[in-house]
Amino acid sequence: SLMEGAGQVSLESSGIGTYDVSWPARAEAANGKTSPEELLAAAHAFRAWAVAEPSRYSLLYGSPVPGYAAPPEVTIEPGTRVIGILLGLVAEGVTRGDVPDRPAPHDPPEPLAGDLRVVGAEVGLATHPAVLSRALLLWATVVGGTSLEVFGQYGADTFRDPRQAYDQQVRM
């Protein structure tokens, strides 16, 4: 049953680690932990919205109209909402020790590392640039995988279940 169910989420390609997941650990006695499943849920919510609202998705993530500059007071908040949520979940994970705040096998070089520190500072996330680099990769995967589906880049008959292909991408 759901209440007794348990398992693990393994984040192998990033080398972050393997985490225990269970109903009690997440909902009843979470002890302040941020589950990797929360990141997956946020990614899937984004995809579901984009598939249901392709025109609105296109306004934020589609090709810009030549010569048109969207008014920043209308577009900045919606356009940064996804990365803001993602970085918020990463910040929670770092604070609670669920996301290791340490170098990675492929640390970002300068000047990228400095740019990532600035981005982190803008959202109050003072962490190793490697953590922010992984968050950037996840954001690119979320938006890229969604765009491939919404804009028909996979082709009509390539995947019988595009949601499953997306899930595989964001779990890597």
Side-chain angles (χ1 to χ4, degrees):
S1 80
L2 173 65
M3 300 304 188
E4 290 86 32
Q8 292 187 320
V9 173
S10 179
L11 306 174
E12 294 171 9
S13 64
S14 65
I16 294 174
T18 299
Y19 299 91
D20 293 323
V21 179
S22 69
W23 180 262
R26 186 63 226 131
E28 295 171 3
N31 295 325
K33 286 193 168 188
T34 302
S35 168
E37 294 294 323
E38 288 180 276
L39 289 171
L40 295 171
H44 278 284
F46 177 78
R47 179 202 161 268
W49 166 77
V51 169
E53 299 282 348
S55 295
R56 290 182 182 198
Y57 177 83
S58 183
L59 288 172
L60 291 172
Y61 297 98
S63 298
V65 176
Y68 174 71
E73 65 275 3
V74 176
T75 57
I76 287 179
E77 193 278 327
T80 59
R81 188 178 300 148
V82 173
I83 189 63
I85 290 169
L86 173 66
L87 289 175
L89 290 170
V90 169
E92 287 178 21
V94 168
T95 299
R96 294 178 178 143
D98 298 333
V99 175
D101 187 11
R102 64 177 185 243
H106 303 286
D107 278 351
E110 293 295 344
L112 176 59
D115 294 342
L116 290 168
R117 284 187 206 93
V118 169
V119 169
E122 288 176 1
V123 297
L125 180 55
T127 187
H128 194 281
V131 174
L132 293 164
S133 183
R134 290 190 300 266
L136 178 64
L137 175 61
L138 179 58
W139 180 50
T141 301
V142 165
V143 174
T146 300
S147 292
L148 287 168
E149 181 179 355
V150 169
F151 300 134
Q153 298 301 305
Y154 286 133
D157 299 326
T158 303
F159 297 117
R160 287 177 280 171
D161 185 355
R163 185 204 53 79
Q164 195 176 47
Y166 181 80
D167 185 68
Q168 182 66 27
Q169 291 168 347
V170 296
R171 285 180 181 275
M172 304 205 62

